[in-house]
Amino acid sequence: MVPVRQSNATLNAVSAALHVVGLGPGSAALLPSLTRRAIMSSAVVVGYSRYLDLLPEALLEGKKLVRSGMRNEIARCNAAMDAVLSGENTALVSSGDPGIYALAGLVYELAGKRKLSPADLSVLVFPGIPALCAAAALLGAPLAHDFAVISLSDLLTDWGTIEKRITHALAADFTLVIYNPRSPERDWQLNKLLELSIAARGEKGYIGLVRNAYREKEQVAILTLGGFNPALADMLSILIVGNSETRVWGGESGQTGQDWLKGARMYAPRGYFKKYPG
Amino acid sequence: MVPVRQSNATLNAVSAALHVVGLGPGSAALLPSLTRRAIMSSAVVVGYSRYLDLLPEALLEGKKLVRSGMRNEIARCNAAMDAVLSGENTALVSSGDPGIYALAGLVYELAGKRKLSPADLSVLVFPGIPALCAAAALLGAPLAHDFAVISLSDLLTDWGTIEKRITHALAADFTLVIYNPRSPERDWQLNKLLELSIAARGEKGYIGLVRNAYREKEQVAILTLGGFNPALADMLSILIVGNSETRVWGGESGQTGQDWLKGARMYAPRGYFKKYPG
C-alpha cells in the first residue's frame, strides 16, 4: 500500500510554516482561494518586487513585506526561511507555478545546506497555473500531446546541456516549451534554437509567442519558424515550437514571412483521427 | 511589433462561446474566480461525469448538464460545439489544465473537420493548475529544472513513438513526468519505462508517485527506481522520474527496497551552488 500523507490543502498548522506560493499568470482572477488563504495566513510576505506588485493590495494589508531584486534568489529564500525560524508564518511568492524554474527547489536545497530537517522547518508548496499553461491557452492547444520544457538561460546551466536537450527533444518530436528565450545580454541562444528547430521541422513549422499572458500588454502571435523574428522575444516571453503534426485552425494560414497568422490557433493533434479515420 | 489580442480574461462576448475549462486538481479551493465565472456564464455544462462531480453543486445549479462516459471524447466535444452553435453559452470541463492531454486540442481539430471558422465558433480556453504541478508540489520541487511530459497510453499513439520519446528524454537528462502510467488492461508499458529509467539513472534514481492530488485518498510516495512496485500506479497516478541530479530533503534517505522515503521531498537543483559554490 502507498502511504497516505496529509494534503498541503490543510492550513491549520500550529507552528509557523513556509508557504511557497505560485501566483499564476498574474491576474487576480486566476488566484485560487487556497492561494489567497496561504498569503492571508502569513505575517511575512517575501518576493521579487514585480511579483508583489501583481497581488491585490487588500491581500498584503498589514503584512511585513520583504521586497527583493531580481537576481537575489538565495537571499530571498534565506530571508523567508529565517522569518519562519523566528516563528512567523511566511509566504514566499513568485509568478506562475513555484515549482517550475522558481523558488521551491532552492528552498529545499538551502534547507539541506543549512542542516535543517522537516522537523525544524515546515515547507508547504502551493501550486499555481504555470506560464506554460497560460501561454498554451492563449495560443490554442499546442500542448495536447507530449512536450518538453527547456530554459534557454545559460546563467546556471552550461549551454552544452541545453543544446543537448533541444536536440534530443526535437529528434523525439516533442513540442518544445521555451522559458527565458532572450535577454538584452543573451541573444544568440535563441538564434541557435531557431536554427535547430528549422533543421528538424522545416521553415514552415509553427512557433507561438506569448508575452504578458493575462496581464496588461498581453501579446500573442503564431508564426512560422522561417518567418520568426527573434527580436520579438524577451525574458517575459514564452515560446512554443510545434511538433511535426502541429496544425493551425483559422487565421490566414497561407501567410509566412514577417507576418503572423492573424486570428489563428495552433494545436497538437492527439491522434483520434489516426485511430478513427473519417 | 507583435500583434495585441484581447485576453481570454474578458467574458463579455455578445454571442455564445465555447469555454474550454480546466478544473485543476479537483479541490474547489483551487478553482480561480475566472474559472468559476466561465462556468457560471454558461447555460450548458458538458463533461465526463467524474469531473462534473468534482464541482461545487452551487456552480451547476440551473445548468443543463451533459454527462458523458470516459472514452467518448469526440462525442463530448461535438455535443459542446453543437450547444454553442444553437446559441447557448457552453462550458466543456475537464480536470487539470484543458490543454494538457485534454479536450482543447480535440475541439480545434473537430472545428477544422466540421469546416467551422473562428467566425462561426468562438472558442476560449481557460487554463487550470495541471496535474503535473499538483503532483510536483506534493512531492517537493522535482520540476525546478528542464522536464519532459509523456503519456504512456498507446491507445492513440504507437508505442514506438512513446519509447523513442522516453529514450531521448532520459539521454538528455530531463526529469520525466509520466501521465497515464498503467491501467488494468495496459501494464507492460510501465515496466518498460522503469527498465529504461534504471538503465539511464541506476537503481538508486528517485521516482515520485502521486494519486488523487488534493482530493480524498491523496497518496504521495518517493521511492528509488529499484524499489518501485509498478502495481502502485494506475490511471489516477502521476509519476515523476528524477534527473541525474535530483536529490531528497528529509526522510529516511537510506531506505530502499519496497520502502518509501517517509517524509522526504524530492527536488531538482537549479545549479545555484555549482555557479556559486560554498
Side-chain angles (χ1 to χ4, degrees):
Chain A
M1 222 190 70
V2 180
V4 178
R5 205 185 68 176
Q6 183 101 355
S7 171
N8 279 359
T10 53
L11 275 176
N12 40 12
V14 176
S15 57
L18 178 53
H19 306 93
V20 186
V21 175
L23 303 181
S27 157
L30 287 170
L31 277 182
S33 59
L34 186 69
T35 308
R36 290 174 185 269
R37 293 211 309 270
I39 296 169
M40 286 189 294
S41 76
S42 298
V44 181
V45 181
V46 181
Y48 171 36
S49 283
R50 190 183 203 112
Y51 299 151
L52 290 178
D53 292 341
L54 291 174
L55 281 169
E57 275 178 41
L59 265 186
L60 298 180
E61 225 174 83
K63 311 284 183 206
K64 183 178 165 199
L65 299 185
V66 182
R67 291 176 174 274
S68 122
M70 188 171 64
R71 286 201 179 154
N72 297 321
E73 289 92 351
I74 293 175
R76 214 183 300 162
C77 291
N78 274 324
M81 288 160 69
D82 289 340
V84 175
L85 293 172
S86 78
E88 298 197 279
N89 250 327
T90 301
L92 175 63
V93 305
S94 53
S95 72
D97 178 80
I100 296 183
Y101 302 120
L103 297 179
L106 187 53
V107 164
Y108 291 118
E109 198 168 357
L110 281 170
K113 286 210 174 284
R114 292 175 64 170
K115 314 262 186 249
L116 297 167
S117 78
D120 305 316
L121 181 75
S122 170
V123 182
L124 299 169
V125 180
F126 292 79
I129 294 173
L132 66 93
C133 289
L138 295 172
L139 288 167
L143 306 182
H145 212 307
D146 304 332
F147 61 96
V149 185
I150 300 171
S151 167
L152 283 199
S153 170
D154 57 359
L155 192 66
L156 299 174
T157 305
D158 65 284
W159 177 255
T161 300
I162 299 169
E163 183 169 336
K164 184 176 167 186
R165 288 180 178 160
I166 295 169
T167 306
H168 277 287
L170 287 167
D173 204 20
F174 282 103
T175 298
L176 265 58
V177 181
I178 303 296
Y179 276 68
N180 307 316
R182 186 171 173 274
S183 74
E185 321 84 61
R186 190 175 56 69
D187 59 4
W188 61 263
Q189 291 87 346
L190 176 54
N191 297 334
K192 188 72 191 168
L193 169 81
L194 290 167
E195 184 190 316
L196 293 167
S197 300
I198 288 173
R201 305 272 195 269
E203 297 253 332
K204 301 206 163 179
Y206 293 113
I207 181 169
L209 177 148
V210 177
R211 277 189 84 230
N212 291 315
Y214 296 92
R215 299 186 199 175
E216 284 195 33
K217 302 187 185 164
E218 175 181 291
Q219 299 179 311
V220 180
I222 296 170
L223 306 101
T224 58
L225 286 165
F228 186 79
N229 176 356
L232 296 174
D234 63 10
M235 289 297 276
L236 299 176
S237 311
I238 294 280
L239 302 180
I240 296 186
V241 178
N243 68 19
S244 67
E245 300 193 336
T246 298
R247 299 284 174 269
V248 298
W249 175 64
E252 298 162 33
S253 60
Q255 279 182 290
T256 54
Q258 288 305 319
D259 294 312
W260 52 88
L261 303 171
K262 281 176 197 155
R265 308 289 174 97
M266 67 191 276
Y267 66 90
R270 272 302 294 283
Y272 291 99
F273 299 101
K274 261 197 266 181
K275 172 104 180 173
Y276 314 106
Chain B
M1 223 191 69
V2 180
V4 178
R5 203 185 70 175
Q6 184 102 357
S7 172
N8 279 0
T10 52
L11 276 176
N12 40 12
V14 176
S15 57
L18 178 53
H19 306 94
V20 186
V21 175
L23 302 182
S27 157
L30 287 170
L31 278 182
S33 59
L34 187 69
T35 308
R36 291 172 184 269
R37 294 209 311 268
I39 296 169
M40 287 188 292
S41 76
S42 298
V44 182
V45 181
V46 181
Y48 171 35
S49 284
R50 188 182 204 114
Y51 299 151
L52 291 178
D53 292 341
L54 290 175
L55 281 169
E57 275 179 39
L59 265 186
L60 297 180
E61 224 174 82
K63 310 285 181 206
K64 183 178 166 198
L65 299 186
V66 182
R67 290 177 176 273
S68 124
M70 189 173 64
R71 286 202 179 154
N72 298 320
E73 289 90 352
I74 293 176
R76 214 183 302 163
C77 291
N78 274 324
M81 288 161 69
D82 289 340
V84 175
L85 294 171
S86 78
E88 298 197 279
N89 249 328
T90 301
L92 175 62
V93 304
S94 53
S95 71
D97 179 78
I100 296 184
Y101 303 120
L103 297 178
L106 187 53
V107 163
Y108 291 118
E109 197 169 358
L110 280 169
K113 288 212 172 282
R114 292 176 65 169
K115 314 261 186 249
L116 297 167
S117 78
D120 305 316
L121 181 76
S122 172
V123 181
L124 298 169
V125 180
F126 292 79
I129 294 173
L132 66 93
C133 290
L138 295 174
L139 288 168
L143 307 182
H145 211 306
D146 304 332
F147 60 96
V149 185
I150 300 172
S151 167
L152 284 199
S153 171
D154 57 357
L155 192 66
L156 299 174
T157 305
D158 66 283
W159 177 254
T161 299
I162 299 169
E163 183 168 335
K164 184 175 166 185
R165 287 180 179 161
I166 295 169
T167 306
H168 278 287
L170 287 168
D173 204 19
F174 281 103
T175 298
L176 266 59
V177 180
I178 304 295
Y179 277 67
N180 308 316
R182 185 170 174 273
S183 74
E185 320 85 61
R186 190 176 57 68
D187 59 4
W188 61 264
Q189 292 85 346
L190 176 53
N191 297 334
K192 188 72 190 167
L193 169 81
L194 290 168
E195 183 190 316
L196 294 167
S197 299
I198 287 173
R201 305 272 195 269
E203 298 254 333
K204 300 207 164 179
Y206 292 113
I207 180 168
L209 176 149
V210 177
R211 279 188 85 229
N212 291 314
Y214 296 92
R215 298 187 200 175
E216 284 194 32
K217 301 187 188 166
E218 175 182 292
Q219 299 178 310
V220 180
I222 296 171
L223 307 101
T224 57
L225 287 166
F228 186 80
N229 176 358
L232 296 174
D234 63 11
M235 290 297 277
L236 299 175
S237 311
I238 293 280
L239 302 181
I240 297 186
V241 178
N243 69 18
S244 67
E245 300 192 337
T246 297
R247 298 285 174 270
V248 298
W249 175 63
E252 298 163 34
S253 61
Q255 280 183 292
T256 54
Q258 288 305 320
D259 295 313
W260 52 89
L261 302 171
K262 283 178 196 151
R265 308 290 173 92
M266 67 191 276
Y267 66 90
R270 273 301 294 283
Y272 290 99
F273 299 101
K274 260 197 267 181
K275 172 106 179 170
Y276 313 106

